[in-house]
Amino acid sequence: MGHFPCFSRRFPLRLFVWSSDDERAGESVSIENQKRILEDYARKNGFTNIRHFTDNGIRGTTFKRPGLDAMLEEIRAGNVATVIIKDQSRIGRDVVEVGLLKRTFDEYHVRFIAANDNLDTANGFDIMSIFRDVINEWYVADTSRKIKTVFKSRMEKGLRCSGSVCYGYRASKEEKGEWIIDEEAAAVVRRIFQSVLAGETIASIAKALRAEKIPIPSEHWKRTGEPVRAAKYADPYAWSATTIGYILKRPEYTGRKVLGKTVCENYKTKSTRKTTPEEQHVFEGAIPAIVDEETWRTVQKIRETVRRAPKRQNAPNRLTGLLYCADCGSKLTHRYNLVQGKWIEDAFVCSGYRQLTHDCTIHYIPTAKIEAAILAVIQRVSWYVRHNEKEFTERVREASDQNQEKTVKECKQKISKAQKRHKELEGLVKKLYEGNATGKIPDKHFTRLLNEYDEEQTELETSIAEWQRQIENWNADRLKTDQFIQLVKRYTDFSELTTPMLNEFIEKVVVHEGEGRGNDRRQRIDIYLNFIGAFEVPEYIVTPAEVEEQRRQHEEQAAKEARSKELAKARYEKRKAEKREFTARKKAGLLTPEELEAEENRLAHNREWQKEWREKRKASEPEKPPKQKSIKELMAVEKTGADLTPEETERLAAYRRKKADQQRARREGKKSDQPKRKVS
């Protein structure tokens, strides 16, 4: 910067002071000391007309400060001759921003003095000021790095770095950094989770909480004397969907301590980002749980699916997100329409049906039928679990072993092979470095081979982690049978499919395309239960619910058939009475011309139809063979001397032989009946 003359006699003098060291209410001791030091300096050097600009408790990396902005306005207005600070760090700890401020001072001919650093622009350019600015910024960067290191070390040990407490808990006064359950707030948290399981929307939950005058988290903390985050709010009962959504996604309610969920990317801007699960520090069971793990997971699965309420309904269908297409794997979409103004269509179809990207078949299934099928499966499996728990456990584990044992064995073989290859690559990389160091391998080939080896190692590490996860999941699946048994025992009534039952029991439902039409239509449905998958109860098991359902269906079918017969009989009697009445009026000559014309047309149409029917029947019947001549006719033809066909000659000869045999038999019978004569 160039030399600046002092305009203290022509313009009012301005004095700027800034500090972030504030450990008590009001101005800090540091601010008071700086004011005293600068006033002494101004008095000794003959500066008068002093005004202080102060920013108390604001970071040195921030340049949006009220005091600084006010001073710059005065400088641009031409009301400042000299700016004096205690040292250069007080104006800021950012080399670029401090340089821009100095350029502003230069532009408006303002003298700049840092008392403790012996910097005075009136004495000419001081190159050391640049190094001081760099050192000041390095100090902030180094402090930020040290703080991050301390925070990371604490989080690795399970120690918190923040004093904020999740709604439903409060900080323990006995153990620093530990949480204990706030029963009043925890009851609200449990209610919110159970409401989601019951199929309620976030908006309806918030509306119910507002109606019951339940305080929002900030108001609750204020009433209980806890630290309040949002100090300003208009309505203490104004629950919002954002607040409830934030509560529902917190893993802490399952007793899981999660540290390092955000990280500061830039110490200057204090911009933060959400960390990945791999970067976080998770400690299971470190805090008391408010909701169980499965309830939390079920709620997360429910909230992952976007649900929209149909036009004629207030709430979305509870099956949305659970039904999948067996052919394309897409989710089924709920359709709820008024068809031709007559009946309501309440059914699910494949979301890939008639789409531009992939065209799948419709996979149409009514909502009532799929709910009935789900309820039947839950009833059947639950009854089997209650009455055959040991057999159920053995069957589930046997099925799990048969389905996954081969896969786990393959995973273990792949892990062993991948680990062996990973170790080989480490040796190759070591030899590669040695070859490059001795000059045997050029830098070009070294870089290419090193990148290839590094990429292969990364892929192997990812694959090993995935295979290991599959093995761990298999081991965990073997323990889920007990969880399903506990779930069954929690319910006492399975007569109706409730929304909580649906969400807790059903993992997914795979719907196949139907075959046939009308009453002959058949459709396969695969229902996967939580913890145990698509479990099938032995066919010989018949539950009381199924017996009752069969009885009910038989009764309904019998009642339906009886009703159909009654209706048919009533229609027949009605038609018969109408026909008798019409016939009587016709005989009495009381028909109108229109009725006579309609009757003639009907009779003509019937005669025409009967004629066509006889002709069609005659045409469809096979031709009859010609009628054979009787024996009498054959004898008459023979007497005339006409020739007979071989068949006719044979028939006539056979007839005569038959007659001759009959006469012979009669003669012999008469002869045997006569008494024998005695010879004298």
Side-chain angles (χ1 to χ4, degrees):
M1 297 176 65
H3 173 72
F4 297 102
C6 177
F7 299 103
S8 59
R9 294 179 177 83
R10 296 179 55 192
F11 299 98
L13 177 65
R14 295 296 183 259
L15 180 66
F16 175 71
V17 181
W18 180 84
S19 177
S20 61
D21 299 330
D22 192 8
E23 297 295 336
R24 71 178 192 184
E27 290 186 341
S28 68
V29 176
S30 176
I31 292 292
E32 295 172 357
N33 288 336
Q34 289 184 60
K35 284 184 176 181
R36 185 171 57 253
I37 291 171
L38 293 174
E39 289 173 357
D40 292 343
Y41 181 88
R43 208 167 26 249
K44 291 178 181 179
N45 291 275
F47 294 106
T48 59
N49 195 13
I50 297 173
R51 178 180 173 185
H52 292 285
F53 292 90
T54 304
D55 285 312
N56 191 24
I58 303 178
R59 297 188 302 269
T61 56
T62 301
F63 286 82
K64 293 294 181 182
R65 311 195 295 261
L68 178 60
D69 293 340
M71 187 194 73
L72 290 175
E73 289 180 4
E74 293 292 337
I75 290 175
R76 295 187 180 98
N79 298 329
V80 176
T82 305
V83 173
I84 306 176
I85 59 176
K86 184 173 73 72
D87 58 65
Q88 287 184 231
S89 66
R90 298 301 89 193
I91 198 170
R93 295 181 183 272
D94 188 306
V95 173
V96 177
E97 295 291 344
V98 171
L100 293 175
L101 283 175
K102 290 180 179 179
R103 183 175 296 177
T104 301
F105 298 157
D106 189 4
E107 181 181 353
Y108 289 93
H109 308 290
V110 175
R111 182 179 177 183
F112 177 57
I113 298 174
N116 291 353
D117 293 336
N118 295 321
L119 171 65
D120 188 346
T121 56
N123 298 329
F125 175 70
D126 185 2
I127 193 170
M128 288 302 298
S129 65
I130 300 177
F131 290 102
R132 292 191 191 97
D133 291 337
V134 173
I135 292 172
N136 290 333
E137 181 171 350
W138 171 85
Y139 172 79
V140 177
D142 186 60
T143 302
S144 175
R145 180 186 60 80
K146 291 178 180 178
I147 292 174
K148 284 184 178 179
T149 303
V150 172
F151 281 3
K152 184 177 180 180
S153 176
R154 285 180 58 84
M155 288 186 292
E156 288 176 350
K157 297 177 182 178
L159 302 176
R160 299 187 181 276
C161 300
S162 172
S164 62
V165 180
C166 181
Y167 178 69
Y169 297 93
R170 65 171 182 266
S172 175
K173 296 180 181 179
E174 291 78 14
E175 297 291 338
K176 184 178 180 180
E178 297 299 324
W179 291 359
I180 59 177
I181 294 179
D182 182 354
E183 290 300 338
E184 181 180 353
V188 179
V189 172
R190 295 188 188 98
R191 172 181 173 176
I192 291 174
F193 275 86
Q194 291 301 323
S195 298
V196 175
L197 284 180
E200 296 184 33
T201 61
I202 303 299
S204 64
I205 297 172
K207 184 178 180 180
L209 295 176
R210 287 196 298 268
E212 297 179 21
K213 299 292 184 180
I214 296 177
I216 60 175
S218 295
E219 178 66 16
H220 173 75
W221 289 325
K222 181 179 179 181
R223 294 181 182 182
T224 56
E226 301 292 336
V228 180
R229 299 182 193 173
K232 295 182 180 180
Y233 48 87
D235 187 355
Y237 311 108
W239 284 88
S240 65
T242 303
T243 302
I244 296 176
Y246 181 73
I247 290 174
L248 290 173
K249 69 180 181 180
R250 291 296 295 263
E252 285 83 354
Y253 293 122
T254 62
R256 189 182 308 141
K257 182 189 290 187
V258 182
L259 304 178
K261 289 187 285 188
T262 60
V263 63
C264 180
E265 292 284 355
N266 192 321
Y267 69 90
K268 295 181 181 180
T269 62
K270 295 298 179 180
S271 60
T272 60
R273 67 169 178 84
K274 292 183 178 180
T275 57
T276 62
E278 292 76 16
E279 296 176 288
Q280 297 173 356
H281 304 276
V282 182
F283 299 89
E284 299 288 347
I287 56 179
I290 294 179
V291 296
D292 60 90
E293 180 72 21
E294 290 307 319
T295 298
W296 188 85
R297 290 184 182 276
T298 304
V299 168
Q300 306 314 307
K301 184 178 69 172
I302 293 173
R303 298 194 68 233
E304 286 175 0
T305 302
V306 178
R307 290 175 166 84
R308 296 182 178 88
K311 294 181 180 179
R312 298 177 183 84
Q313 288 184 331
N314 296 326
N317 190 278
R318 58 185 180 177
L319 291 176
T320 301
L322 293 177
L323 309 185
Y324 292 84
C325 174
D327 295 329
C328 68
S330 302
K331 290 184 178 180
L332 268 62
T333 304
H334 184 223
R335 292 206 316 199
Y336 190 85
N337 303 312
L338 184 64
V339 180
Q340 298 179 353
K342 296 180 180 180
W343 56 280
I344 296 293
E345 179 190 35
D346 185 6
F348 281 84
V349 298
C350 178
S351 58
Y353 177 56
R354 291 183 176 178
Q355 296 296 320
L356 295 178
T357 54
H358 64 286
D359 188 11
C360 188
T361 53
I362 188 169
H363 290 74
Y364 181 92
I365 184 166
T367 303
K369 289 188 176 180
I370 190 65
E371 287 189 352
I374 291 173
L375 178 59
V377 169
I378 293 176
Q379 289 175 337
R380 183 173 175 81
V381 176
S382 299
W383 187 90
Y384 182 65
V385 169
R386 288 177 178 273
H387 294 81
N388 302 273
E389 182 176 327
K390 184 177 180 181
E391 182 180 344
F392 165 77
T393 304
E394 292 176 354
R395 288 180 64 88
V396 170
R397 290 180 178 174
E398 181 181 356
S400 176
D401 292 343
Q402 290 177 351
N403 295 334
Q404 299 188 26
E405 188 174 2
K406 183 178 179 181
T407 304
V408 171
K409 185 177 180 180
E410 292 177 354
C411 288
K412 290 181 178 179
Q413 292 176 351
K414 291 178 181 179
I415 289 174
S416 177
K417 186 177 180 181
Q419 290 176 341
K420 184 178 179 181
R421 175 57 180 169
H422 191 277
K423 188 175 181 180
E424 291 177 356
L425 289 174
E426 290 180 352
L428 292 174
V429 169
K430 184 178 180 180
K431 293 180 180 179
L432 188 63
Y433 274 105
E434 293 175 354
N436 180 256
T438 57
K440 295 181 180 180
I441 300 177
D443 292 342
K444 178 180 179 181
H445 297 309
F446 170 78
T447 303
R448 179 178 58 82
L449 292 173
L450 184 62
N451 291 335
E452 291 179 358
Y453 290 158
D454 183 66
E455 183 178 354
E456 186 178 356
Q457 278 187 319
T458 304
E459 292 178 356
L460 288 173
E461 290 170 358
T462 304
S463 300
I464 290 172
E466 176 62 23
W467 293 327
Q468 190 65 39
R469 185 186 63 81
Q470 292 181 12
I471 295 175
E472 292 174 356
N473 290 342
W474 176 68
N475 293 330
D477 288 342
R478 302 183 67 182
L479 303 177
K480 289 182 177 180
T481 306
D482 296 336
Q483 293 177 294
F484 184 81
I485 294 174
Q486 294 300 322
L487 175 62
V488 170
K489 291 181 178 180
R490 286 212 312 264
Y491 284 85
T492 58
D493 183 14
F494 292 91
S495 60
E496 180 184 359
L497 181 64
T498 62
T499 303
M501 182 190 301
L502 179 69
N503 292 327
E504 290 186 304
F505 273 92
I506 302 303
E507 177 186 355
K508 64 178 180 179
V509 179
V510 179
V511 180
H512 296 255
E513 184 58 272
E515 299 178 357
R517 299 176 64 86
N519 294 331
D520 296 331
R521 190 171 188 269
R522 296 293 181 270
Q523 192 168 13
R524 178 182 169 185
I525 303 172
D526 298 332
I527 299 176
Y528 291 80
L529 301 172
N530 283 326
F531 308 115
I532 61 174
F535 180 79
E536 294 185 4
V537 178
E539 294 182 358
Y540 64 85
I541 297 294
V542 180
T543 66
E546 292 173 335
V547 173
E548 179 64 22
E549 180 65 19
Q550 291 176 0
R551 184 193 62 78
R552 186 187 62 80
Q553 290 180 359
H554 288 323
E555 290 181 354
E556 289 182 354
Q557 184 65 23
K560 185 177 180 180
E561 292 177 357
R563 179 62 178 167
S564 298
K565 290 180 180 180
E566 291 178 1
L567 292 175
K569 184 178 180 181
R571 288 193 296 268
Y572 173 75
E573 294 295 338
K574 182 179 179 181
R575 288 196 300 268
K576 190 174 180 181
E578 291 175 351
K579 188 175 181 180
R580 284 198 302 266
E581 180 186 0
F582 184 82
T583 303
R585 291 177 60 226
K586 182 178 179 181
K587 289 181 178 179
L590 299 178
L591 296 180
T592 63
E594 291 79 7
E595 290 176 334
L596 287 173
E597 184 179 358
E599 180 67 10
E600 290 297 331
N601 292 336
R602 186 184 68 81
L603 294 174
H605 178 270
N606 287 345
R607 287 192 292 269
E608 186 66 24
W609 179 83
Q610 290 174 1
K611 182 179 178 180
E612 292 178 358
W613 179 79
R614 286 193 296 267
E615 290 177 353
K616 288 181 180 179
R617 187 179 66 175
K618 185 177 180 181
S620 62
E621 291 178 352
E623 294 184 0
K624 294 182 180 180
K627 188 177 180 181
Q628 292 183 349
K629 295 178 181 180
S630 65
I631 298 298
K632 187 176 181 181
E633 290 176 344
L634 292 177
M635 291 180 177
V637 171
E638 186 181 24
K639 287 181 180 180
T640 59
D643 296 332
L644 299 174
T645 63
E647 291 80 5
E648 293 175 341
T649 303
E650 180 62 26
R651 283 182 59 206
L652 187 59
Y655 173 76
R656 288 173 175 166
R657 285 196 299 270
K658 180 180 178 181
K659 286 295 183 180
D661 293 339
Q662 291 175 353
Q663 291 177 0
R664 187 182 305 108
R666 282 196 297 269
R667 286 195 300 268
E668 291 178 355
K670 289 180 180 180
K671 187 176 180 181
S672 60
D673 292 339
Q674 293 179 359
K676 295 182 179 181
R677 296 180 181 179
K678 294 182 179 181
V679 180
S680 57

